[in-house]
Amino acid sequence: MKQEFSVETLLQHLGEEESFPYGSVTPPIVQTSLFTARTLRERNARQGRNEFGYTYTRADNPTVRLAEQKLAALESTEDALCFSSGMAAIASAILTFAECGAHVICVDTAYPPTRTLLGSWLTRYGVQTTFVSGERMEEFEAAVQPNTRLIYLESPSSLYFRLQDLRAVSQWARAHGIRTLCDNSWATPVFQNPHALGVDLVLHSASKYLGGHSDLLAGVVAGGMEDIVRIRQTRELLGGVLEPFSGWLLLRGLRTLPIRMERAHRSGLQVAKWLASQPHVARVNHPGLPDHPQHALAQAQMRGYSSLFSFETVPITEEQAYAFTERLRLFRFGCSWGGYESLLLGWAHGEANAQGKSPWLFRIYVGLENPDDLIRDLQGAIDALLA
Ligand SMILES: Cc1ncc(COP(=O)(O)O)c(C=O)c1O
């Protein structure tokens, strides 16, 4: 079915060609830890021939497997694996390939826990990491060592939304025998397919847009079969597998991913452009805006933009910053984006001047509300800044 249809259609039908029990239109939640055979003889005979199929949900489960089939089709990879969180997926992929004595090159604006895992936690196991901005090929060339095994990419990256040239970096890495991994949570497979650009392994926090409703924790690794077989063993040994009910929630979220992303693209750009026109806003970090320093690269390797970005203010007092946020009625303050609700986080950013004012960096997530309402809400709050 894969090649014949577009992703919107595959998300509704792939793996569901056979009807489910009782003519149910939704897949069953196979909420079991264990799968048994009728007799011990049957079990032992099948296991010996490697034909037993499902044995234990820590290894595999049909509900989760259905989500994995769809995710592999979305990312155009041979296979995909689901994990209990994005961090379980990221850690399992890295631990599969970064053995003691290995060196890793990582983007310095990657998701902070990923940087902690590589930059400090894994040093205990003899893995060293060099951080680079990732914006220029020469940084990778300068950082490479004879024992470099992995290049960890996140494009666009967290907080500043910086890009890496995925085609150029992965081509160069392959020529040096280095595996590439890319966190694709921001763009989602709807707007970017790192594997099609040459990246070996694509990672997701499915707790974000893929799930889409702020009601599940999940992670994904998608890639070629040989790598996936090795990472599946890591998943089974470390145990960070997705449980069936969350697999089912993920399947439900995925069905509407393309239409939610279309909306995220439009609403995010509308709010970003409006913010860029505001006198208190010094800069908007959104790769879809023409003045983003990597806009041309963004257009070349992505088909659209999601709705998480940041903006920097002119110097303001802490009181003004909090007064701005306290006037907002449609935004909540929290970290995990990709759901239906709009969010904001913010920090003082840089040195305070003599008047005690400093620039603030706000990370904004534009949810599924009407963007005109969000802009009105932001306008009212910005007016409080002027007061
Ligand atoms: C870009 C990015 N990657 C990975 C993760 C980790 O995913 P999870 O929270 O599902 O473990 C996050 C979560 O916030 C994220 O923002």
Side-chain angles (χ1 to χ4, degrees), residues 96-224:
T96 302
F97 301 108
E99 74 278 6
C100 180
H103 173 253
V104 179
I105 303 174
C106 178
V107 170
D108 64 6
T109 47
Y111 177 59
T114 304
R115 281 186 275 142
T116 306
L117 175 73
L118 282 167
S120 59
W121 201 85
L122 273 172
T123 58
R124 291 194 274 158
Y125 298 93
V127 175
Q128 300 299 327
T129 297
T130 303
F131 291 94
V132 296
S133 88
E135 287 166 78
R136 287 172 304 282
M137 223 22 254
E138 307 85 75
E139 298 172 40
F140 293 96
E141 290 162 1
V144 74
Q145 297 179 13
N147 56 340
T148 305
R149 294 284 172 271
L150 298 179
I151 295 184
Y152 189 93
L153 307 167
E154 186 181 306
S155 184
S157 64
S158 293
L159 216 49
Y160 296 98
F161 308 95
R162 295 190 180 137
L163 277 65
Q164 301 97 57
D165 185 332
L166 298 181
R167 199 187 294 276
V169 176
S170 57
Q171 236 172 45
W172 176 85
R174 184 150 302 168
H176 287 76
I178 302 168
R179 216 178 240 92
T180 43
L181 294 81
C182 180
D183 186 327
N184 198 29
S185 307
W186 188 91
T188 83
V190 174
F191 293 147
Q192 179 171 265
N193 296 115
H195 193 69
L197 296 170
V199 171
D200 294 306
L201 290 163
V202 185
L203 311 168
H204 285 280
S205 167
S207 325
K208 310 292 182 281
Y209 284 117
L210 300 187
H213 296 74
S214 301
D215 56 7
L216 82 115
L217 269 183
V220 180
V221 179

Side-chain angles (χ1 to χ4, degrees), residues 67-344:
E68 291 173 345
Q69 275 182 277
K70 293 192 185 201
L71 288 157
L74 271 175
E75 282 292 10
S76 305
T77 55
E78 285 178 346
D79 209 344
L81 295 169
C82 285
F83 290 80
S84 53
S85 69
M87 276 315 292
I90 291 167
S92 298
I94 291 173
L95 286 169
T96 302
F97 301 108
E99 74 278 6
C100 180
H103 173 253
V104 179
I105 303 174
C106 178
V107 170
D108 64 6
T109 47
Y111 177 59
T114 304
R115 281 186 275 142
T116 306
L117 175 73
L118 282 167
S120 59
W121 201 85
L122 273 172
T123 58
R124 291 194 274 158
Y125 298 93
V127 175
Q128 300 299 327
T129 297
T130 303
F131 291 94
V132 296
S133 88
E135 287 166 78
R136 287 172 304 282
M137 223 22 254
E138 307 85 75
E139 298 172 40
F140 293 96
E141 290 162 1
V144 74
Q145 297 179 13
N147 56 340
T148 305
R149 294 284 172 271
L150 298 179
I151 295 184
Y152 189 93
L153 307 167
E154 186 181 306
S155 184
S157 64
S158 293
L159 216 49
Y160 296 98
F161 308 95
R162 295 190 180 137
L163 277 65
Q164 301 97 57
D165 185 332
L166 298 181
R167 199 187 294 276
V169 176
S170 57
Q171 236 172 45
W172 176 85
R174 184 150 302 168
H176 287 76
I178 302 168
R179 216 178 240 92
T180 43
L181 294 81
C182 180
D183 186 327
N184 198 29
S185 307
W186 188 91
T188 83
V190 174
F191 293 147
Q192 179 171 265
N193 296 115
H195 193 69
L197 296 170
V199 171
D200 294 306
L201 290 163
V202 185
L203 311 168
H204 285 280
S205 167
S207 325
K208 310 292 182 281
Y209 284 117
L210 300 187
H213 296 74
S214 301
D215 56 7
L216 82 115
L217 269 183
V220 180
V221 179
M225 195 56 82
E226 266 179 49
D227 283 351
I228 291 291
V229 166
R230 290 181 64 185
I231 300 167
R232 173 173 290 152
Q233 192 196 23
T234 308
R235 183 181 70 172
E236 196 174 337
L237 295 177
L238 299 186
V241 71
L242 190 63
E243 56 84 39
F245 182 56
S246 292
W248 186 90
L249 283 174
L250 176 55
L251 280 165
R252 190 200 51 175
L254 283 176
R255 290 196 199 278
T256 56
L257 178 70
I259 49 180
R260 284 188 286 107
M261 294 316 294
E262 242 175 74
R263 178 65 178 258
H265 171 93
R266 272 188 284 118
S267 299
L269 273 175
Q270 186 180 334
V271 176
K273 283 180 187 159
W274 179 83
L275 278 166
S277 71
Q278 296 306 300
H280 284 84
V281 174
R283 173 193 171 105
V284 179
N285 301 308
H286 186 306
L289 295 184
D291 65 352
H292 185 283
Q294 293 170 297
H295 181 60
L297 177 60
Q299 283 187 303
Q301 67 186 19
M302 291 194 282
R303 297 179 290 276
Y305 307 103
S306 75
S307 58
L308 180 79
F309 56 97
S310 61
F311 61 95
E312 297 167 39
T313 67
V314 297
I316 53 177
T317 63
E318 188 177 275
E319 199 34 52
Q320 283 178 306
Y322 285 125
F324 159 65
T325 60
E326 281 153 16
R327 282 287 293 270
L328 292 167
R329 292 190 301 153
L330 297 178
F331 289 81
R332 296 181 188 212
F333 307 98
C335 59
S336 189
W337 43 277
Y340 49 86
E341 70 289 6
S342 289
L343 301 167
L344 200 78

